[in-house]
Amino acid sequence: MTEPLVVVEGLRKTYQKGPKEVAALKDVSFEAFPGELIAIRGRSGSGKTTLLNLVGGLDRPDAGQVTIAGRSVTGMAESGLVELRRDVVGFVFQTFGLVPVLSAAENVGVPLRLAKAAAQEREERIRVLLTLVGLADHVNQRPYELSGGQQQRVAIARALANRPRVLIADEPTGQLDSQTARQIMELIRALVRSEGVTAVVATHDLGLIALADRVLELRDGLLEEAAS
Ligand code: ADP
Ligand code: MG
């Protein structure tokens, strides 16, 4: 049996919202195997973003554990989390999150610079990645000179820059028209296969859900296996 790459056990996260407590996650567990594309669905406010942030080490739970490739994310000091987010996990967000003053190539180069990749290796990796996402002819354009779908392609290339084991995407097609959304979903599906990455994707998008290997549903702070 293959070992799971991501192990999530008993996650709990409660937010203080003024005088009242909101239990975003009550007791959430799941495992993701190498090369799997997992869709997390659930209505708005069901805790999808909270869960992804905990899996990727962007936030800490009140209780429970996250392990990636045998390393305890929840047990890591801040310096370990910085490394984890740079080398092990790639993030894609609904709003793309590109640096507006940087070109497509420079945006993809940011994580490579953080990882202190040599200039030549960086250039080569940027070229490969932008070709992989279909933007070989747009390397010098800035985000405002690109369509939403193209911006998301740059963000996906950036997320894959340091060859992460895990790709975390939070409603990656949420701001795109349905045709563009479809192209982005298919790109994510293809990249999970070609790059051998494990992807955890929060989405409402039925098209993306249909492409997943497994669908999990968040409801009232609990996660259940859903029919896909
Ligand atoms: P989703 O991504 O599925 O829309 P979220 O994880 O963003 O869900 O939110 C889950 C619940 O936690 C919601 O009730 C939301 O209002 C609440 N919540 C999320 N982040 C915070 C925060 N920083 N402070 C207070 N409440 C929050
Ligand atoms: Mg969300």
Side-chain angles (χ1 to χ4, degrees), residues 45-196:
S46 63
K48 300 184 296 298
T49 296
T50 301
L51 176 58
L52 294 187
N53 288 348
L54 296 177
V55 172
L58 291 173
D59 201 0
R60 292 186 190 274
D62 298 327
Q65 312 254 8
V66 175
T67 309
I68 298 182
R71 298 162 71 191
S72 169
V73 175
T74 32
M76 268 177 204
E78 196 53 43
S79 58
L81 291 177
V82 170
E83 235 173 78
L84 179 93
R85 295 189 296 250
R86 187 190 67 204
D87 301 334
V88 183
V89 182
F91 292 92
V92 174
F93 302 102
Q94 182 172 0
T95 51
F96 323 133
L98 300 176
V99 182
V101 298
L102 299 183
S103 68
E106 289 164 340
N107 267 285
V108 175
V110 168
L112 296 164
R113 282 180 185 276
L114 291 174
K116 300 199 165 48
Q120 198 185 337
E121 184 195 332
R122 209 165 62 219
E123 294 311 311
E124 173 61 12
R125 183 76 184 139
I126 290 169
R127 197 187 59 72
V128 167
L129 285 161
L130 286 175
T131 303
L132 200 61
V133 299
L135 290 181
D137 296 334
H138 302 272
V139 293
N140 293 319
Q141 286 168 243
R142 298 202 177 155
Y144 66 85
E145 298 169 319
L146 297 167
S147 69
Q150 289 171 331
Q151 289 182 58
Q152 195 59 304
R153 287 171 188 270
V154 175
I156 291 168
R158 180 183 58 183
L160 295 173
N162 289 326
R163 298 186 174 82
R165 307 283 305 270
V166 181
L167 179 69
I168 292 182
D170 194 354
E171 305 204 32
T173 61
Q175 290 217 333
L176 303 172
D177 64 77
S178 59
Q179 198 188 337
T180 308
R182 161 137 225 106
Q183 291 163 355
I184 293 295
M185 289 165 216
E186 283 167 359
L187 176 67
I188 291 172
R189 176 69 269 185
L191 289 172
V192 168
R193 288 221 173 90
S194 69
E195 305 304 290

Side-chain angles (χ1 to χ4, degrees), residues 15-17 22-25 42-51 59 170-171 202 204 218:
Y15 294 110
Q16 198 70 41
K17 230 182 193 174
V22 178
L25 302 178
R43 60 172 178 74
S44 179
S46 63
K48 300 184 296 298
T49 296
T50 301
L51 176 58
D59 201 0
D170 194 354
E171 305 204 32
H204 295 292
L218 264 174

